[in-house]
Amino acid sequence: MQMLLHANSLLLAPTTSRLSASASPGRSGTAQPLPRPAHSARAAGLGTRRPPAVAAASPRTPMAVGEECDAAAVASQGFVSDARAYWVTRSLIAWNVNDQDTSLFLYASRDATMHVSDGAIHGYDSKIELEPEHASLPDNVAEKFPFIRSYRTFRVPSSVDVASLVKCQLAVASYDAHGRHQDVTGLQLPGVLDDMFAYTGPLGAVFSDKDVDLYLWAPTAQDVRVCFYDGPAGPLLQTVQLKELNGVWNVTVPRYRENQYYLYEVKVYHPSTSQVVKCLADDPYARGLSANGTRTWLVDINSETLKPASWDELSDEKPNLESFSDISIYELHIRDFSAHDSTVDCNSHGGFRAFTFQDSAGIRHLRKLSAAGLTHVHLLPSFHFASVDDNKSNWKFVDEAQLAKLPPGSDEQQAAIVSIQQEDPYNWGYDPVLWGVPKGSYASNPDGPSRIIEYRQMVQALNRIGLRVVMDVVYNHLDSSGPFGVSSVLDKIVPGYYLRRNVNGQIENSAAMNNTASEHFMVDRLIVDDLLNWAINYKVDGFRFDLMGHIMKNTMIRAKSAIQSLTRDVHGVDGSKIYLYGEGWDFGEVAQNKRGINASQINMSGTGIGSFNDRIRDSVNGGNPFGNPLQQGFSTGLFLEPNGYYQGNEADTRRELATYADHIQIGLAGNLKDYVLRTHTGEAKKGSDIYTFDGSPVGYTSSPVETINYVSAHDNETLFDIVSIKTPIGLSIDEKCRINHLASSMIALSQGIPFFHAGDEILRSKSLDRDSYNSGDWFNKIEPRLENPSFRPSKNHILSVFDNFVDILKIRYSSPLFRLSTASDIEQRVRFHNTGPSMVPGVIVMSIKDAQNEKCEMAQLDKNFSYVVTIFNVCPHEVTIEIHDLASLGLGLHPIQVVSSDALVRQSAYEASKGRFTVPRRTTAVFVQPRAYTV
């Protein structure tokens, strides 16, 4: 990790010009970001990522009665241009046709020779009349496909060989009562495939003493063979035929094939080309790969040769975790951690192995955080993704020494980054190809065992310094689709099944590209199987789900159940300690349960699965990541110290500040939907009855472990950049540092799971670049450098902010009262005092009460403190406030703050007789009543 304390110096980088919002490089490789959907304005994890692989088609109007089936219904590259009908079960097809006299025929061609000529369909092998159903879709089908609930249904005759038909080019055509052609369209098959071929048996490579069994689920394939190769780039050795049984293709090969490389050759009809094609594809259940995933490595993941020393005993060394409420998370990109760290071997920069250097600057920094109480490191995507070449010899770099010489306002830095950004080693990695294999670019050698061994060494090394490891998983979309290209895998094997399509049959891209469909049985299964792979084979301690709202709730619940069933005795893993959380944004085609009950923030209440709390983020910072960046919030000067951006008159901004305080207090109380707060209007309201500015409920959780409280993340500006752009231009760097710490402390002392972006504790800047997924090492350095030289903090500023961050972590872990594990405990113990119409603007007063004596109605949780009072003062001046309910207590400044390096916080005071608190400007002060105190 660059920007970390060494024995005698702190690594600092020169100031660079910032990437402006209008010129932030998008994943398309251009200088313009992709537009964001309006409904994602409050989302925090959408990111521009990559451009859609397939543009969504506009709705097509069915042909009028009597109109011939003309060119409008025919694709330029083949037969039909869309797939508006749904084969939902073995016996039912649904289509949105209105004419009650319409008759439907199903057409099939095994060789994909169908075409339209003179208003008629030619080239088919089978033509089957479908029987109209008078009933609506069965309940179980409507539940699975709620968006087609109103479609008419037609019955497939029981004599039809459906298993053979799904391997063909298919179409349904409608005719009026006089037999005239009305319309023709293709079919979407996931429903019938799930109904007939849902499978729970073995998949991938299964090793025995003498043999290896290969299993591939491919019910629409006409033929499958496996091609074995001599090495990752060597010649073809042999092609072996697989046999099919109920949609699963299988072959048994001798064990000597182990460590060879292979690909599946799948002969299948692909609707994107309207042709039967032969696709070469990796194994979806691959556990090893060649560089860039060009071939699958046939590897026994349980082989002793792939295990670091003492790997099987790692479960005995896992850091202690009593409750999920004890978790705190530090979000880190693998390359950011060490790309510029001179204390790491140069051959290990930016990779898995960097975490094994126990005396490196980065590891020393993480050790300090761990010692203060931090429990988890969240690693950005580390599976096989497309956007970085695994072959290091192909990487290109900017000359950072030359960039450092350029003036801060120069555009040349950005131009240099953009010129190589598709060929450098940096990307966040949200463009998945295969989920089950570590990314080769982070390994010393992308071929063979290195990526497996080194990933395990990384997990082991972090566990041994007291940190559990969270893996960032991206199951909501894929990098590519279609029958061509190495980064398309699943769509080659069962075309049209793994990806979610709209009512016209075009791939949905709201999640960035190639949205996956976890509502389909085998997609759901693949996700759960993959999670178990990482939990068991890599001993990962938690999972963060990218765009979790695009995954179905049932999938998430099934994943949690499967993971928590893991035991140390059987699996070498204690699944009850593995925590799940994700981005519960509700937008796109899945919004409001249109595709089934999705894993949105609201829907996940009661599951014990966490979701990111954008309410507290936006209230602390102001605005949202996609609004005007100058919008101020509770900590950044709204009403109290305006920056010149108009957010209303004085009454408006005072009211908005008070509203933000309400939202923050609900967040501090675990974002519970049933927590009752006296709001700024004087009304007592549940969290679910307090609303954001766009009408969403602020409180939505049933348990504090269901909220991830945060103010910045990888795909927002860094916290210091947020503070720098939202506060008045003339505000001193000292005051910006105080605000940075104040915002972090609101997160650190909240009920729920606090989440911190790596570098926020050392004033990291990305030069105001929010979406820096592809901005290279230069702009993603964990170093403070903004365009305006006066914004640049000194070494002492950084050390001070870091010391304060460590102190606030220590305070969180000094008392279980900051980590209450149940909603009832929070509702019983947590109170807010500066509330209602007479509240002092810019001040939040939170008390947490423990049992005062043996006769108290609540259980004793803290052996040291019986009362904790935390005051957040965001005002640019000292505040004295009297809270009569907190008078006559034995409160004193927390022992850690008594000896703090922050001279201001040491001035905080409490006068018991009047319940009077004095807190300096922009300060978080924590007061505690020792257990020994008696009234």
Side-chain angles (χ1 to χ4, degrees):
M1 180 183 293
Q2 57 278 12
M3 230 331 279
L4 300 177
L5 187 61
H6 288 249
N8 299 307
S9 66
L10 197 67
L11 296 179
L12 297 173
T15 303
T16 68
S17 63
R18 67 179 175 88
L19 290 173
S20 65
S22 62
S24 177
R27 296 198 185 200
S28 59
T30 67
Q32 295 297 325
L34 296 175
R36 299 181 183 277
H39 46 248
S40 68
R42 284 178 31 254
L46 192 51
T48 48
R49 302 196 169 153
R50 291 171 73 90
V54 182
S58 58
R60 189 169 81 78
T61 305
M63 297 181 196
V65 175
E67 187 176 26
E68 290 189 341
C69 180
D70 59 14
V74 182
S76 60
Q77 79 277 20
F79 180 43
V80 289
S81 62
D82 52 29
R84 289 172 285 122
Y86 291 77
W87 199 336
V88 292
T89 69
R90 186 219 169 276
S91 58
L92 290 179
I93 288 175
W95 194 9
N96 191 22
V97 292
N98 297 320
D99 187 349
Q100 294 299 313
D101 294 326
T102 295
S103 59
L104 254 62
F105 285 83
L106 172 65
Y107 294 84
S109 169
R110 188 172 179 85
D111 296 327
T113 56
M114 284 196 287
H115 60 282
V116 174
S117 177
D118 298 326
I121 297 174
H122 300 275
Y124 56 85
D125 302 323
S126 304
K127 177 182 178 181
I128 302 159
E129 184 170 8
L130 305 177
E131 304 166 9
E133 288 278 300
H134 299 294
S136 57
L137 284 173
D139 289 344
N140 65 320
V141 176
E143 182 179 350
K144 182 166 183 170
F145 302 106
F147 60 101
I148 63 167
R149 186 182 298 270
S150 63
Y151 282 25
R152 285 190 63 197
T153 56
F154 297 82
R155 182 164 294 276
V156 179
S158 59
S159 59
V160 170
D161 183 358
V162 176
S164 295
L165 284 188
V166 296
K167 300 178 182 295
C168 299
Q169 179 189 36
L170 297 170
V172 288
S174 61
Y175 298 84
D176 66 14
H178 303 287
R180 290 176 297 195
H181 214 169
Q182 291 177 305
D183 198 2
V184 61
T185 189
L187 286 130
Q188 298 192 37
L189 302 182
V192 66
L193 297 183
D194 282 353
D195 189 36
M196 295 186 62
F197 302 105
Y199 172 72
T200 59
L203 289 170
V206 178
F207 287 79
S208 60
D209 289 342
K210 296 182 179 180
D211 299 313
V212 182
D213 285 295
L214 297 176
Y215 297 90
L216 181 72
W217 186 76
T220 62
Q222 297 180 5
D223 185 66
V224 176
R225 303 180 183 194
V226 59
C227 305
F228 289 101
Y229 298 90
D230 184 12
L236 176 68
L237 295 174
Q238 186 180 8
T239 300
V240 180
Q241 180 72 49
L242 278 72
K243 294 182 179 180
E244 183 188 15
L245 179 63
N246 297 327
V248 177
W249 297 78
N250 167 246
V251 69
T252 301
V253 298
R255 180 88 190 214
Y256 70 74
R257 294 286 187 190
E258 183 178 3
N259 296 322
Q260 291 184 356
Y261 289 80
Y262 69 100
L263 289 171
Y264 285 117
E265 181 188 82
V266 182
K267 182 182 179 183
V268 66
Y269 171 75
H270 209 293
S272 69
T273 62
S274 295
Q275 295 177 348
V276 175
V277 294
K278 285 185 177 180
C279 303
L280 285 175
D282 279 306
D283 189 334
Y285 279 73
R287 296 296 175 251
L289 291 169
S290 64
N292 296 317
T294 56
R295 293 172 182 175
T296 300
W297 186 41
L298 186 56
V299 59
D300 182 359
I301 197 69
N302 296 310
S303 170
E304 294 298 321
T305 63
L306 301 176
K307 296 177 181 180
S310 303
W311 176 250
D312 289 334
E313 290 73 49
L314 184 59
S315 61
D316 299 326
E317 301 180 54
K318 289 286 182 180
N320 185 50
L321 183 65
E322 295 293 330
S323 166
F324 287 157
S325 61
D326 293 330
I327 291 174
S328 53
I329 301 171
Y330 187 77
E331 182 195 42
L332 181 63
H333 184 276
I334 289 172
R335 188 161 180 84
D336 283 348
F337 176 71
S338 62
H340 293 86
D341 189 345
S342 62
T343 64
V344 169
D345 175 77
C346 62
N347 293 320
S348 300
H349 279 172
F352 300 136
R353 287 197 305 185
F355 291 88
T356 66
F357 289 80
Q358 293 301 300
D359 291 326
S360 71
I363 290 296
R364 290 201 301 271
H365 185 79
L366 291 181
R367 271 207 192 98
K368 292 177 183 177
L369 296 178
S370 174
L374 187 76
T375 65
H376 285 63
V377 169
H378 159 172
L379 299 175
L380 266 64
S382 52
F383 48 77
H384 177 54
F385 57 83
S387 49
V388 173
D389 194 327
D390 285 348
N391 293 303
K392 295 176 175 60
S393 60
N394 295 332
W395 292 353
K396 294 183 179 180
F397 298 89
V398 295
D399 186 337
E400 295 191 5
Q402 289 300 314
L403 293 187
K405 297 176 182 178
L406 296 170
S410 171
D411 293 329
E412 293 183 49
Q413 293 99 326
Q414 179 173 299
I417 297 296
V418 170
S419 69
I420 65 162
Q421 65 184 25
Q422 305 307 323
E423 300 170 272
D424 74 350
Y426 195 93
N427 200 287
W428 286 344
Y430 291 93
D431 48 350
V433 178
L434 279 167
W435 295 321
V437 184
K439 176 61 177 166
S441 65
Y442 293 139
S444 58
N445 184 348
D447 296 319
S450 296
R451 62 172 88 197
I452 298 171
I453 296 170
E454 291 167 15
Y455 198 105
R456 288 171 164 175
Q457 290 173 331
M458 174 182 68
V459 172
Q460 188 177 55
L462 286 167
N463 283 177
R464 285 175 171 173
I465 63 170
L467 294 170
R468 289 176 173 255
V469 177
V470 173
M471 183 182 188
D472 198 324
V473 289
V474 186
Y475 296 126
N476 62 84
H477 66 268
L478 294 166
D479 175 73
S480 186
S481 58
F484 312 113
V486 69
S487 64
S488 175
V489 177
L490 297 178
D491 198 48
K492 290 177 178 177
I493 294 169
V494 192
Y497 178 82
Y498 288 95
L499 303 180
R500 185 179 292 130
R501 294 190 283 171
N502 63 22
V503 293
N504 294 308
Q506 306 302 315
I507 295 171
E508 294 280 10
N509 294 294
S510 60
M513 52 191 172
N514 299 306
N515 296 6
T516 55
S518 64
E519 59 270 29
H520 302 160
F521 183 91
M522 296 302 288
V523 182
D524 169 280
R525 180 190 164 173
L526 179 56
I527 290 171
V528 175
D529 286 350
D530 190 67
L531 291 166
L532 294 176
N533 164 50
W534 289 103
I536 296 171
N537 295 325
Y538 293 93
K539 304 188 188 298
V540 168
D541 304 296
F543 296 95
R544 178 266 191 192
F545 291 79
D546 182 65
L547 296 187
M548 182 176 71
H550 269 57
I551 300 171
M552 292 298 110
K553 179 180 178 179
N554 280 340
T555 301
M556 294 301 303
I557 292 174
R558 216 170 70 77
K560 180 186 175 187
S561 176
I563 287 170
Q564 295 205 332
S565 70
L566 302 177
T567 65
R568 290 172 60 180
D569 289 342
V570 177
H571 308 97
V573 172
D574 183 356
S576 69
K577 304 295 186 183
I578 297 176
Y579 180 59
L580 309 184
Y581 63 100
E583 297 177 305
W585 322 131
D586 192 33
F587 69 97
E589 75 281 0
V590 299
Q592 300 176 340
N593 303 319
K594 292 174 185 173
R595 293 295 183 116
I597 300 175
N598 62 321
S600 65
Q601 291 169 319
I602 305 299
N603 289 340
M604 296 307 285
S605 174
T607 64
I609 296 172
S611 64
F612 283 91
N613 180 5
D614 49 346
R615 280 73 157 162
I616 196 170
R617 177 202 68 195
D618 293 347
S619 299
V620 172
N621 296 337
N624 62 70
F626 309 120
N628 190 301
L630 295 177
Q631 285 181 282
Q632 292 179 291
F634 191 79
S635 73
T636 53
L638 178 66
F639 173 70
L640 298 167
E641 199 162 17
N643 61 12
Y645 175 75
Y646 185 74
Q647 288 182 246
N649 58 34
E650 186 172 301
D652 293 333
T653 55
R654 180 170 183 149
R655 188 183 311 109
E656 188 174 2
L657 183 70
T659 300
Y660 277 150
D662 289 345
H663 297 180
I664 291 169
Q665 287 168 114
I666 293 297
L668 290 169
N671 219 47
L672 296 174
K673 63 181 181 181
D674 290 331
Y675 184 85
V676 178
L677 175 75
R678 183 173 181 249
T679 68
H680 70 280
T681 65
E683 299 173 276
K685 291 184 176 182
K686 291 182 178 181
S688 58
D689 293 328
I690 301 171
Y691 296 97
T692 64
F693 296 107
D694 67 359
S696 300
V698 172
Y700 58 80
T701 72
S702 297
S703 163
V705 302
E706 292 173 358
T707 184
I708 304 294
N709 291 331
Y710 75 117
V711 287
S712 72
H714 70 275
D715 47 3
N716 299 160
E717 292 90 350
T718 66
L719 179 55
F720 188 65
D721 282 355
I722 290 168
V723 171
S724 296
I725 196 170
K726 290 180 182 291
T727 53
I729 191 78
L731 192 68
S732 72
I733 192 68
D734 289 336
E735 296 305 301
K736 287 184 173 73
C737 290
R738 297 199 68 80
I739 295 171
N740 190 101
H741 175 64
L742 187 55
S744 292
S745 69
M746 289 183 181
I747 300 306
L749 301 180
S750 63
Q751 303 294 335
I753 311 298
F755 176 99
F756 307 101
H757 180 40
D760 280 350
E761 77 285 8
I762 50 174
L763 304 179
R764 179 187 187 183
S765 169
K766 295 190 297 186
S767 301
L768 305 182
D769 183 9
R770 173 175 63 81
D771 200 24
S772 64
Y773 73 93
N774 200 18
S775 299
D777 294 330
W778 175 252
F779 283 102
N780 282 284
K781 275 186 179 182
I782 301 184
E783 302 188 359
R785 42 187 174 76
L786 293 174
E787 187 176 37
N788 188 331
S790 66
F791 286 175
R792 183 175 179 179
S794 68
K795 172 182 175 180
N796 287 336
H797 288 124
I798 295 164
L799 290 173
S800 176
V801 168
F802 180 66
D803 285 346
N804 288 338
F805 183 82
V806 167
D807 282 352
I808 214 72
L809 272 182
K810 289 180 178 178
I811 289 172
R812 177 177 180 83
Y813 288 97
S814 72
S815 173
L817 298 178
F818 287 115
R819 311 187 309 279
L820 300 174
S821 60
T822 67
S824 60
D825 264 342
I826 293 173
E827 290 161 0
Q828 187 179 28
R829 300 167 187 267
V830 177
R831 294 289 180 269
F832 296 94
H833 301 275
N834 179 37
T835 61
S838 61
M839 67 184 297
V840 177
V843 179
I844 290 176
V845 181
M846 175 179 68
S847 68
I848 313 174
K849 185 178 182 180
D850 199 10
Q852 303 298 299
N853 52 58
E854 293 180 358
K855 297 181 180 179
C856 189
E857 70 279 3
M858 63 180 70
Q860 179 180 318
L861 300 179
D862 192 330
K863 64 181 181 180
N864 297 315
F865 306 128
S866 59
Y867 227 115
V868 176
V869 176
T870 304
I871 300 181
F872 303 100
N873 174 24
V874 303
C875 300
H877 52 78
E878 181 182 275
V879 165
T880 297
I881 187 170
E882 292 186 3
I883 309 295
H884 298 299
D885 290 345
L886 299 178
S888 303
L889 296 175
L891 295 169
L893 194 62
H894 196 288
I896 290 173
Q897 291 190 320
V898 168
V899 295
S900 171
S901 61
D902 179 5
L904 274 183
V905 77
R906 298 198 305 266
Q907 297 174 20
S908 303
Y910 167 71
E911 186 179 338
S913 62
K914 297 182 178 180
R916 177 183 292 167
F917 297 86
T918 300
V919 179
R921 71 182 187 277
R922 297 188 173 107
T923 295
T924 296
V926 181
F927 300 88
V928 293
Q929 177 174 279
R931 175 63 61 188
Y933 174 81
T934 57
V935 179

